[in-house]
């Protein structure tokens, strides 16, 4: 089940996955027609990386996460925020009341959901005029380094089907939104060897630590780092893609 894909990887996920540009949250909140910070449902909230940015803007955030390992770390990380509410539920059945939120976000998670069921759930829990935002961090796959890393992952990771499913500017979400805008934020991320291998090992497709493939994958990553780093720092081009708009009615 998708809900168990990150079981046993929550700690490494929390340590090595990057956060998101603050400009993404600024752009999303402009879509909410209220003078007050909105009430948000961050669905597939994981260890709380995107939810933290919303909480820092004063939002109340229902962090909806089915995986117990991920949810436990979010509860530890975010318990100091008054607006934080942890919810043990799935994207398709959030357990939130009807018309209870102004905003639904899914950061690095939408590609795991049943799209139609999630859209129906968004329609149920969103208030009139509410919006949904789908956000991904991803490597700029037009770069030589990203292409080479993709080939490496395909060679060593049995479940690899490509980097996160939404970090592409050419992908259509017309089946989910009735209208939406796509915004792309360009940047880069710098790794030392430890953070690079940790980031790659945090992926759902990385081999389990109790398999021979795990060591083989790590060794290949170390060779990649050595070949592409300068002064022991590897810089990878990063893009953050945000699709934000009104959810298409299923009624």
């Amino acid at each position: 089940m998708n809900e168990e894909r990150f079981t046993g990887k929550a700690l490494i996920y929390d340590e090595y996955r990057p956060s998101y540009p603050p400009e993404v949250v600024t752009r999303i909140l402009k879509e909410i027609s209220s003078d007050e910070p909105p009430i948000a449902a961050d669905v597939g909230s994981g260890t709380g990386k995107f939810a933290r940015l919303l909480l820092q803007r004063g939002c109340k955030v229902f962090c909806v996460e089915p995986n117990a390992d991920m949810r436990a770390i979010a509860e530890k990380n975010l318990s100091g925020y008054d607006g934080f509410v942890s919810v043990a539920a799935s994207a398709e059945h959030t357990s939130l009341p009807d018309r209870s939120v102004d905003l639904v976000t899914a950061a690095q998670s939408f590609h795991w959901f049943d799209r139609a069921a999630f859209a129906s759930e968004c329609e149920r829990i969103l208030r009139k005029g509410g919006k949904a935002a789908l956000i991904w961090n991803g490597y700029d796959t037009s770069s030589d380094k990203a292409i080479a890393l993709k080939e490496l992952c395909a060679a060593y990771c049995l479940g690899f089907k490509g980097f996160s499913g939404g970090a592409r500017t050419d992908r259509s979400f017309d089946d989910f939104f009735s209208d939406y805008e796509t915004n792309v934020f360009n940047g880069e991320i710098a790794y030392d060897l430890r953070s690079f291998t940790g980031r790659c090992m945090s992926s759902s497709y990385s081999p389990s630590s109790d398999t021979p493939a795990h060591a083989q994958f790590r060794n290949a990553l170390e060779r990649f780092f050595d070949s592409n780093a300068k002064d022991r720092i590897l810089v990878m081009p990063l893009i953050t893609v945000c699709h934000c708009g009104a959810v298409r009615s299923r009624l």
Side-chain angles (χ1 to χ4, degrees):
M1 293 178 62
N2 287 339
E3 295 171 5
E4 298 302 324
R5 283 181 179 269
F6 291 96
T7 297
K9 295 183 178 180
L11 284 171
I12 195 170
Y13 187 105
D14 189 55
E15 183 172 1
Y16 295 115
R17 288 292 181 109
S19 185
Y20 301 84
E23 295 83 2
V24 177
V25 178
T26 299
R27 180 67 188 85
I28 292 170
L29 294 184
K30 284 182 179 178
E31 294 294 315
I32 307 302
S33 56
S34 173
D35 294 331
E36 300 295 325
I39 298 174
D42 187 35
V43 181
S45 53
T47 63
K49 288 187 175 289
F50 193 78
R52 185 191 296 275
L53 301 179
L54 293 171
L55 290 163
Q56 289 172 343
R57 299 294 185 94
C59 301
K60 179 177 181 179
V61 184
F62 294 98
C63 290
V64 180
E65 173 54 52
N67 185 279
D69 288 359
M70 302 285 266
R71 195 171 61 250
I73 292 179
E75 290 167 356
K76 180 181 178 181
N77 289 345
L78 304 179
S79 61
Y81 292 95
D82 291 339
F84 168 66
V85 181
S86 182
V87 180
S90 69
E92 299 80 8
H93 303 283
T94 65
S95 78
L96 299 180
D98 293 355
R99 306 290 182 259
S100 58
V101 301
D102 306 294
L103 172 67
V104 174
T105 59
Q108 218 76 16
S109 56
F110 179 76
H111 50 289
W112 300 121
F113 302 164
D114 179 309
R115 292 170 73 127
F118 177 57
S120 296
E121 185 69 350
C122 289
E123 188 175 12
R124 183 184 70 79
I125 66 176
L126 279 168
R127 294 170 175 167
K128 185 177 180 180
K131 299 294 176 66
L134 313 178
I135 309 102
W136 283 271
N137 281 328
Y139 294 128
D140 180 353
T141 53
S142 66
S143 74
D144 291 342
K145 284 186 287 189
I147 292 170
L149 182 58
K150 183 177 180 180
E151 292 173 351
L152 185 156
C153 292
Y156 287 91
C157 303
L158 184 62
F160 181 76
K161 297 179 180 179
F163 297 128
S164 292
R168 287 168 32 198
T169 56
D170 63 340
R171 184 177 180 183
S172 173
F173 290 86
D174 290 341
D175 63 328
F176 182 80
F177 294 108
S178 58
D179 63 86
Y180 70 101
E181 290 189 2
T182 298
N183 289 273
V184 179
F185 304 83
N186 293 289
E188 59 185 26
I189 186 166
Y191 296 109
D192 60 14
L193 177 59
R194 182 173 181 269
S195 59
F196 173 65
T197 55
R199 166 62 186 89
C200 294
M201 290 296 183
S202 76
S203 299
S204 62
Y205 50 76
S206 68
S208 299
S209 59
D210 57 352
T211 65
H214 178 87
Q216 294 167 1
F217 184 42
R218 179 179 291 278
N219 290 338
L221 291 171
E222 291 175 354
R223 292 192 298 271
F224 179 91
F225 181 91
D226 290 339
S227 297
N228 291 278
K230 294 183 178 179
D231 298 323
R232 303 302 296 166
I233 296 295
L234 172 64
V235 177
M236 295 289 291
L238 190 71
I239 61 170
T240 302
V241 180
C242 175
H243 313 281
C244 184
V247 176
R248 183 175 295 281
S249 176
R250 261 60 178 176
L251 298 178

